[in-house]
């Protein structure tokens, strides 16, 4: 099954990429969630607009990605959340929360889809988060979660 990706899918591709997947994966996962559209000749024209939007958000090159990674390592990110007396959060910290905290701390504006939280953050303390800046560059970010 030939599809055009509309959003980034880990291990498959980026928006605007034309991919060949098994019919069940495309029909049952990618298409219903809006991650892809069926490939058509008319759909190829949409690729240009998708790639233009992606380029506007994407970090331009490897050198820029390494520079941003260096800035993220030196950044002190503190996130204030509601928590119980035992230090357990009401809910969990999302990638959107981390992106806003990085921006508030004076860091670069990050796309929340590029932030990866290995284990859900549900307690107060220091947590490590990974940010995928470029296919070859990934940065580690320390986030301090404190009670509000």
């Amino acid at each position: 099954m030939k599809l055009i990706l509309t959003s980034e899918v880990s291990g498959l591709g980026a928006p605007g990429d034309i991919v060949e997947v098994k019919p069940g994966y495309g029909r049952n996962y990618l298409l219903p969630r809006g991650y892809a559209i069926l490939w058509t000749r008319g759909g190829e024209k949409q690729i240009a607009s998708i790639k233009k939007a992606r380029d506007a958000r994407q970090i331009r090159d490897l050198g820029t990605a390494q520079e941003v990674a260096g800035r993220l390592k030196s950044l002190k990110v503190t996130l204030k959340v509601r928590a119980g007396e035992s230090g357990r959060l009401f809910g969990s910290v999302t990638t959107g929360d981390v992106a806003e905290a990085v921006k508030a701390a004076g860091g670069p504006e990050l796309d929340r889809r590029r932030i990866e939280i290995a284990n859900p953050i549900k307690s107060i303390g220091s947590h490590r988060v990974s940010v995928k800046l470029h296919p070859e560059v990934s940065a580690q970010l320390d986030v301090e979660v404190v009670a509000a």
Side-chain angles (χ1 to χ4, degrees):
M1 176 178 246
K2 207 170 187 182
L3 299 173
I4 301 170
L5 295 179
T6 57
S7 63
E8 186 165 339
V9 179
S10 181
L12 191 57
D17 290 350
I18 298 173
V19 294
E20 186 78 29
V21 297
K22 292 194 176 190
Y25 182 54
R27 185 176 54 247
N28 297 325
Y29 181 72
L30 297 174
L31 291 174
R33 287 178 171 79
Y35 294 152
I37 57 174
L38 285 171
W39 176 86
T40 59
R41 287 195 179 106
E44 280 196 48
K45 293 177 185 175
Q46 292 178 338
I47 292 174
S49 65
I50 291 172
K51 285 191 177 186
K52 185 184 281 186
R54 178 179 68 182
D55 289 342
R57 286 191 313 253
Q58 187 177 29
I59 296 175
R60 298 287 178 234
D61 60 359
L62 183 62
T64 308
Q66 290 172 340
E67 177 186 319
V68 171
R71 286 177 51 197
L72 287 176
K73 284 183 182 178
S74 64
L75 196 63
K76 176 72 174 157
V77 179
T78 303
L79 191 61
K80 293 183 179 182
V81 293
R82 288 185 49 215
E85 291 183 25
S86 63
R88 195 133 168 90
L89 304 184
F90 297 127
S92 64
V93 174
T94 64
T95 56
D97 296 336
V98 173
E100 288 176 18
V102 168
K103 188 176 177 183
E109 189 168 331
L110 298 174
D111 187 6
R112 66 176 177 77
R113 291 171 287 207
R114 299 209 176 266
I115 299 171
E116 298 171 354
I117 299 174
N119 297 322
I121 300 174
K122 296 186 176 191
S123 63
I124 292 175
S126 183
H127 300 276
R128 185 157 286 227
V129 175
S130 176
V131 181
K132 193 172 182 184
L133 299 169
H134 188 270
E136 300 173 17
V137 179
S138 184
Q140 297 296 319
L141 178 66
D142 289 320
V143 178
E144 185 69 32
V145 180
V146 296

